[in-house]
Amino acid sequence: MTLSDRQLNILHVGDAVFDYYRISDLPGIEHLPYSLKVLVENLLRRIDGVNVTEEQVRELLGWKADAEPSHEIEFGPSRVLMQDFTGVPCIVDLATMRDAVADLGGDPEAINPQVEADMVIDHSVQIDNYGVADAVERNMDREYQRNGERYRFLRWGQQAFRNFRVVPPGTGIIHQVNIEYLAKVVMTKTGERGRDLAYLDSCVGTDSHTTMVGGLGVLGWGVGGIEAEAAMLGQPISMLVPRVVGFKLTGSIPEGVTATDVVLTITQMLREHGVVGKFVEFYGDGVASVPLANRATIGNMSPEFGSTCGIFPIDQVTLDYLRLTGRSDGQIALVEAYAKANRLWGDTHSPDYVEPEYSEYMELDLGTVVPSIAGPKRPQDRIRLDEAKETFEKTLPDYETPKTNQDPVPVHTDFRGRFEITNGDVAIASITSCTNTSNPSVMIAAGLLARAARAHGLKPKPWVKTSLAPGSQVVADYLRKAGLQEDLDALGYQLVGFGCTTCIGNSGPLLPEISKAVNDNDLTVVSVLSGNRNFEGRISPDVKMNYLASPPLVIAYAIAGTLDFDFETQPLGADAETGRDIFLRDIWPSNEEIDKVVSTAVSRETFVRDYADVFEGDERWKSLDVPEGERFAWDLDSTYVRKQIFFDGMSAKPQPVQDVRGARVLALLGDSVTTDHISPAGAFPASSPAGEYLLEHDIQPKDFNSYGSRRGNHEVMVRGTFGNIRLRNLLLASVGEEVRPGGFTYDFVTGKPSTIFAASLDYRKSGTPLVVLAGSEYGTGSSRDWAAKGTLMLGVRVVIARSFERIHRSNLIGMGVLPLQFPEGQSAATLGLDGTETYDFQGIEALNNGTIPKTVHVVATKPVSEGKPASVTEFDAAVRIDTPGEAEYYRNGGILQYVLRRLMK
């Protein structure tokens, strides 16, 4: 009798009876962190003697809090979650795999998601229209015009693939739909003993902020699209059991402080502490006083901490939220019974509660949190609101150039009239989906602040692009029910859409006259948004500085019109009737006011009604012309959806891996290069390689759409890889050329500067492999498959960095690109490397023996230059293939090739 057989038990929930795997009596379970208990249950019910063994479960039960990660497990998520930007290429790859299986003589229908897979179409709405009553309808119409081809493809996928559901456009953002509807906390499926099996919900998602579901006690995190596809096809995710940081919460949020202020404080603390690759788990008596919406806000920002997840245990707050959001009484009872039966109940006052042991400890008294913003380019760079003006004035010169006009610039627009703009002015002030819009307290606070501002006659400045993009229909309903949408409308915060907008770069264009004034005068204008991402070049190509703030503060900055503003000493304006100066404190709502409106406006009935037909869609969705068949009929003229090339010429068995010789440097990069710098995102001009490609296919610039919307076309995406306007390729300086921001490099084949894409074509023709040299924290940012896919398609075989972000390192391996790490304490600079060398990598072939070499030997040869003789630099770089599973993926040329070959067997 196996361990899993012995632990298979019966759970009574009212009149219902379920099978479940009991972990509560396993030796060592009581002191494990909540998140590791989830992993124990995951392994226990999946013991097969091959991928998951009894010994692995026992090793996990014997976890040592102070140990460094070394124990590998195979995590099997219960479901996979996708948004459309990253999900479309996943479905393109699955459709291509069906063709590849057919080409190899197999059954195409073998390619189906093996676990529940949901896609929420939320990343394609763009803010073209704002400040008008019908903005949301006009933006939706434009969205379908731009993306009809993609949406038809997704509707085909919904009917062609089993276990695949699609939430249509205009419903909400993936993370909010997840916590409000999709997440079950405890799932059920048909068991083998005639009863349903109850088991823990867990998920991976193609968006790094999948971690938001941790607020519900569901273990989930973002992965690359490559890993997600493999998980959908039944492949486990190899991982090392991480260190777990226990973050103790005490006290309560003081007056005038929002959940956003709390999460920005936690983000700063955890970034400074260092939690990359670790689990973060919140515990302590103070947790019970943290509303579920606040927990979700904190969990959402886990990628900004750098951790794999940010999770809270299941408790009464969880059950209350499940009830509020319309889950059935039976489901709520199951969650409670299961959690209590399996030592997963997080009530610190329960007689059965045992405080977990953690690898590291941190603590925050919520009563010490103060109003804050973060910026101008990273979410962890928190600034106290009372120091924001002073900090901004010190930072602004870093963004100005000799071309910057220091005088106010006059602008005349038909939409907003005449005004002047200058450096520091707020060009975008957006209440945007994701981190905050799931949280009624901050959304109601924004509405109440708008009401008070309206009463005094205050309005945003005419140069500010205002927008409100809630994360679900529920938000729009409770704002209307409270009468607050009318007040928001009066300040220009009409609904513009439901989904991810400003945070992903879908802020839409500024008024042409403003954009021209900004660029002609090299002005440094600012965005303020209530999202989670403010990386350089991400929000808008016209905006240099980006700040995160709570929804009410977003409106306050729209009224102020500039970041060069002190809310304590400067009035927002004068009362329209009395002429009295009005300060932020005069219109800021009290916690009591906020709580009162939340309690009356946010109801279970609203959630039940809005999610009753969540998969149906509106008439636009229903009227799409959908192709049929088990294999997709590819349109060779399509510029949105094209058959992938990864499987072209693939053999049934993998070829041995080889050492890399004669490689040239494509890019020499500094520290903190993010996947936003690497992966194509946002808009792109006609002069870019991607723009030139679309022009060649008779697509006009007004119809370019965004990179994200064209992720199903590898021809567009490879041309935009490493194309971010803020990327600085230091290789150009090494050869005496100007370092032009953007996707430029030096082409050693032609001996001239070039775009990265054009140079890659020359290297491909000459048979020259490529390498990227990078600094610390390479690949931080969103979990983007195209940051790895594009790297491979440019011809890059090796990336050497000082350190890697977890997801991007894994994604590189998943595409067959080798991640190497400079020796401890070394970098390209300390080794005297400037990118002009040719590189040989010796020892990669050791992987063919079934082992993972700890290092490979690197020989960098600098050519003769200006009379100087050739020189050679040699060093051993650490191989960052961390698990045997990753090694198998690399040997197969990538994770998808590995999965396809296994299915063929």
Side-chain angles (χ1 to χ4, degrees):
M1 195 179 211
T2 67
L3 177 62
S4 57
D5 291 335
R6 291 196 299 273
Q7 297 305 124
L8 186 59
N9 230 266
I10 295 175
L11 179 68
H12 293 274
V13 184
D15 295 332
V17 181
F18 300 88
D19 282 342
Y20 82 111
Y21 286 94
R22 188 179 68 246
I23 65 171
S24 58
D25 60 348
L26 292 172
I29 195 72
E30 62 273 4
H31 291 289
L32 283 184
Y34 171 87
S35 52
L36 296 192
K37 291 178 183 178
V38 174
L39 292 181
V40 169
E41 188 272 346
N42 189 279
L43 294 181
L44 177 65
R45 64 178 155 85
R46 296 173 43 253
I47 290 175
D48 60 5
V50 180
N51 290 314
V52 183
T53 65
E54 292 187 20
E55 183 58 28
Q56 290 171 353
V57 176
R58 293 192 178 96
E59 287 180 356
L60 182 53
L61 288 165
W63 177 78
K64 302 298 183 185
D66 58 352
E68 290 301 317
S70 60
H71 170 41
E72 182 194 6
I73 61 171
E74 301 286 331
F75 173 61
S78 303
R79 56 194 177 91
V80 175
L81 197 62
M82 295 174 283
Q83 41 95 331
D84 55 305
F85 269 18
T86 46
V88 166
C90 287
I91 306 305
V92 166
D93 289 350
L94 291 183
T96 304
M97 289 176 77
R98 280 196 168 182
D99 290 348
V101 168
D103 291 344
L104 291 171
D107 179 6
E109 290 205 51
I111 305 298
N112 273 300
Q114 303 298 302
V115 299
E116 289 188 17
D118 290 309
M119 178 186 290
V120 182
I121 301 177
D122 67 339
H123 273 51
S124 297
V125 60
Q126 183 170 301
I127 308 172
D128 294 293
N129 301 281
Y130 65 98
V132 292
D134 61 345
V136 64
E137 291 300 319
R138 289 162 65 177
N139 288 332
M140 283 282 291
D141 287 342
R142 192 77 182 97
E143 177 181 353
Y144 271 85
Q145 291 168 14
R146 288 189 176 113
N147 301 291
E149 188 178 330
R150 297 166 64 237
Y151 293 171
R152 284 191 292 274
F153 171 69
L154 293 177
R155 285 208 65 189
W156 167 82
Q158 188 174 26
Q159 68 181 26
F161 294 110
R162 296 189 297 274
N163 291 330
F164 176 55
R165 301 184 298 183
V166 176
V167 177
T171 305
I173 193 169
I174 176 175
H175 315 300
Q176 194 159 342
V177 174
N178 193 18
I179 64 169
E180 291 180 354
Y181 181 79
L182 297 174
K184 301 291 191 295
V185 185
V186 175
M187 302 179 69
T188 60
K189 63 181 179 181
T190 302
E192 297 178 357
R193 304 198 303 184
R195 284 184 291 268
D196 281 350
L197 174 70
Y199 60 103
L200 283 174
D201 187 358
S202 59
C203 67
V204 292
T206 61
D207 190 298
S208 56
H209 296 100
T210 301
T211 52
M212 189 171 192
V213 79
L216 269 178
V218 175
L219 184 62
W221 59 82
V223 295
I226 306 124
E227 284 180 296
E229 291 169 46
M232 279 194 289
L233 293 168
Q235 296 302 305
I237 294 176
S238 295
M239 60 180 290
L240 296 174
V241 178
R243 291 175 67 85
V244 183
V245 179
F247 197 109
K248 190 172 186 178
L249 294 174
T250 62
S252 57
I253 296 175
E255 189 69 39
V257 170
T258 70
T260 313
D261 303 318
V262 172
V263 79
L264 292 179
T265 302
I266 291 173
T267 299
Q268 181 188 40
M269 291 176 65
L270 287 170
R271 267 294 173 187
E272 290 176 351
H273 179 79
V275 294
V276 172
K278 303 171 186 176
F279 284 4
V280 172
E281 186 169 310
F282 295 90
Y283 76 105
D285 291 341
V287 166
S289 68
V290 180
L292 200 292
N294 289 16
R295 298 181 185 188
T297 302
I298 293 168
N300 181 284
M301 292 286 277
S302 186
E304 282 65 48
F305 314 157
S307 66
T308 303
C309 71
I311 196 166
F312 289 77
I314 300 169
D315 61 8
Q316 188 60 46
V317 175
T318 315
L319 302 185
D320 292 343
Y321 184 79
L322 293 175
R323 187 170 293 105
L324 170 68
T325 50
R327 271 68 167 205
S328 69
D329 292 340
Q331 179 66 26
I332 296 166
L334 173 61
V335 171
E336 180 176 9
Y338 186 98
K340 289 180 176 178
N342 254 346
R343 285 184 175 268
L344 296 165
W345 190 249
D347 182 359
T348 59
H349 299 293
S350 169
D352 297 328
Y353 179 79
V354 176
E355 184 168 292
E357 295 177 0
Y358 294 106
S359 308
E360 302 157 30
Y361 291 85
M362 298 188 70
E363 184 173 341
L364 173 64
D365 177 355
L366 295 172
T368 64
V369 177
V370 298
S372 305
I373 61 174
K377 62 181 179 179
R378 299 190 307 179
Q380 64 262 39
D381 295 332
R382 185 178 69 91
I383 304 166
R384 289 173 57 109
L385 186 62
D386 56 11
E387 297 174 356
K389 176 181 170 69
E390 178 185 358
T391 304
F392 174 77
E393 289 174 345
K394 291 179 180 178
T395 308
L396 179 61
D398 296 339
Y399 289 83
E400 297 177 330
T401 72
K403 299 177 182 178
T404 300
N405 186 347
Q406 299 294 339
D407 299 320
V409 177
V411 177
H412 175 230
T413 70
D414 293 333
F415 185 46
R416 289 286 176 83
R418 296 179 184 271
F419 47 83
E420 293 181 337
I421 58 172
T422 190
N423 297 293
D425 279 350
V426 176
I428 295 172
S430 177
I431 300 175
T432 185
S433 302
C434 208
T435 308
N436 291 286
T437 64
S438 65
N439 195 320
S441 67
V442 292
M443 296 302 292
I444 294 294
L448 289 171
L449 185 139
R451 173 171 292 175
R454 181 188 182 193
H456 289 291
L458 302 178
K459 289 186 176 181
K461 296 298 186 287
W463 54 83
V464 182
K465 182 172 186 176
T466 51
S467 59
L468 169 63
S472 77
Q473 298 277 353
V474 173
V475 180
D477 283 347
Y478 69 62
L479 288 174
R480 280 193 293 264
K481 184 177 180 181
L484 294 175
Q485 188 58 58
E486 183 180 337
D487 299 299
L488 289 161
D489 290 348
L491 269 67
Y493 281 91
Q494 290 87 352
L495 292 172
V496 297
F498 296 90
C500 185
T501 53
T502 305
C503 239
I504 194 61
N506 285 1
S507 55
L510 300 181
L511 292 177
E513 299 87 351
I514 293 179
S515 179
K516 186 175 189 304
V518 167
N519 289 288
D520 287 353
N521 294 275
D522 194 30
L523 298 180
T524 299
V525 292
V526 176
S527 75
V528 184
L529 59 148
S530 68
N532 46 35
R533 288 283 162 91
N534 58 334
F535 298 134
E536 289 183 301
R538 181 181 177 108
I539 306 304
S540 167
D542 294 332
V543 176
K544 294 181 183 179
M545 303 174 77
N546 306 292
Y547 290 85
L548 304 180
S550 66
L553 267 182
V554 168
I555 298 177
Y557 270 113
I559 297 170
T562 178
L563 249 292
D564 193 13
F565 196 88
D566 183 350
F567 288 109
E568 185 63 30
T569 62
Q570 293 178 255
L572 289 167
D575 182 273
E577 293 184 5
T578 67
R580 178 174 65 89
D581 283 344
I582 303 299
F583 292 84
L584 180 60
R585 56 182 173 269
D586 297 322
I587 61 173
W588 194 271
S590 68
N591 291 356
E592 183 180 357
E593 288 178 89
I594 296 168
D595 292 343
K596 183 178 179 180
V597 176
V598 170
S599 65
T600 57
V602 184
S603 67
R604 173 183 172 87
E605 291 71 29
T606 303
F607 285 94
V608 171
R609 181 179 65 251
D610 286 346
Y611 282 106
D613 54 359
V614 67
F615 299 108
E616 293 300 314
D618 61 13
E619 287 307 312
R620 301 178 187 90
W621 180 255
K622 293 175 182 177
S623 64
L624 291 173
D625 182 22
V626 184
E628 298 179 355
E630 67 180 24
R631 294 173 64 183
F632 187 67
W634 304 99
D635 180 357
L636 298 181
D637 296 323
S638 173
T639 57
Y640 273 104
V641 178
R642 294 182 69 87
K643 183 178 177 180
Q644 255 298 354
I645 61 173
F646 298 136
F647 308 105
D648 289 358
M650 192 186 91
S651 59
K653 293 183 179 180
Q655 301 299 310
V657 298
Q658 297 181 335
D659 289 347
V660 176
R661 301 184 183 278
R664 276 291 193 177
V665 174
L666 182 66
L668 172 64
L669 306 171
D671 294 335
S672 298
V673 170
T674 71
T675 48
D676 291 274
H677 290 105
I678 307 167
S679 179
F684 50 92
S687 59
S688 66
E692 292 173 351
Y693 166 84
L694 291 178
L695 289 173
E696 290 169 3
H697 286 75
D698 298 322
I699 306 298
Q700 297 306 305
K702 66 181 178 64
D703 298 316
F704 278 4
N705 212 331
S706 65
Y707 276 122
S709 67
R710 293 189 181 271
R711 283 192 176 196
N713 182 350
H714 57 273
E715 296 287 3
V716 171
M717 298 304 286
V718 69
R719 286 164 168 79
T721 303
F722 290 106
N724 186 291
I725 58 173
R726 303 297 178 212
L727 185 78
R728 295 177 60 83
N729 186 355
L730 304 178
L731 175 61
L732 289 163
S734 299
V735 294
E737 298 286 344
E738 178 186 0
V739 179
R740 298 172 57 191
F744 299 99
T745 191
Y746 188 80
D747 185 339
F748 288 98
V749 176
T750 63
K752 298 177 182 178
S754 171
T755 65
I756 281 178
F757 174 71
S760 75
L761 296 180
D762 288 336
Y763 287 124
R764 184 184 305 168
K765 291 174 184 175
S766 66
T768 304
L770 297 173
V771 60
V772 170
L773 306 181
S776 300
E777 297 183 329
Y778 182 71
T780 55
S782 299
S783 54
R784 292 189 167 167
D785 53 340
W786 267 108
K789 286 182 175 179
T791 297
L792 171 73
M793 294 183 73
L794 288 171
V796 175
R797 299 280 303 282
V798 179
V799 175
I800 319 178
R802 295 190 69 184
S803 63
F804 288 91
E805 191 273 342
R806 174 187 63 87
I807 297 173
H808 186 57
R809 180 197 62 79
S810 176
N811 282 355
L812 288 172
I813 296 167
M815 293 312 302
V817 177
L818 181 64
L820 300 178
Q821 204 155 302
F822 285 111
E824 184 68 30
Q826 298 291 324
S827 66
T830 62
L831 291 167
L833 305 174
D834 63 7
T836 61
E837 308 84 6
T838 56
Y839 286 76
D840 294 333
F841 299 90
Q842 304 165 1
I844 299 174
E845 293 172 359
L847 281 155
N848 294 319
N849 302 324
T851 60
I852 305 175
K854 290 186 179 297
T855 62
V856 298
H857 190 62
V858 184
V859 180
T861 304
K862 192 183 292 290
V864 176
S865 175
E866 297 179 355
K868 297 179 182 179
S871 61
V872 176
T873 300
E874 300 187 41
F875 60 96
D876 291 328
V879 176
R880 286 305 314 277
I881 296 176
D882 292 352
T883 68
E886 290 179 343
E888 278 300 308
Y889 300 152
Y890 184 76
R891 293 186 193 104
N892 275 268
I895 191 170
L896 298 181
Q897 290 87 340
Y898 170 80
V899 169
L900 189 56
R901 289 185 176 112
R902 286 199 62 177
L903 288 172
M904 289 302 298
K905 289 180 181 178

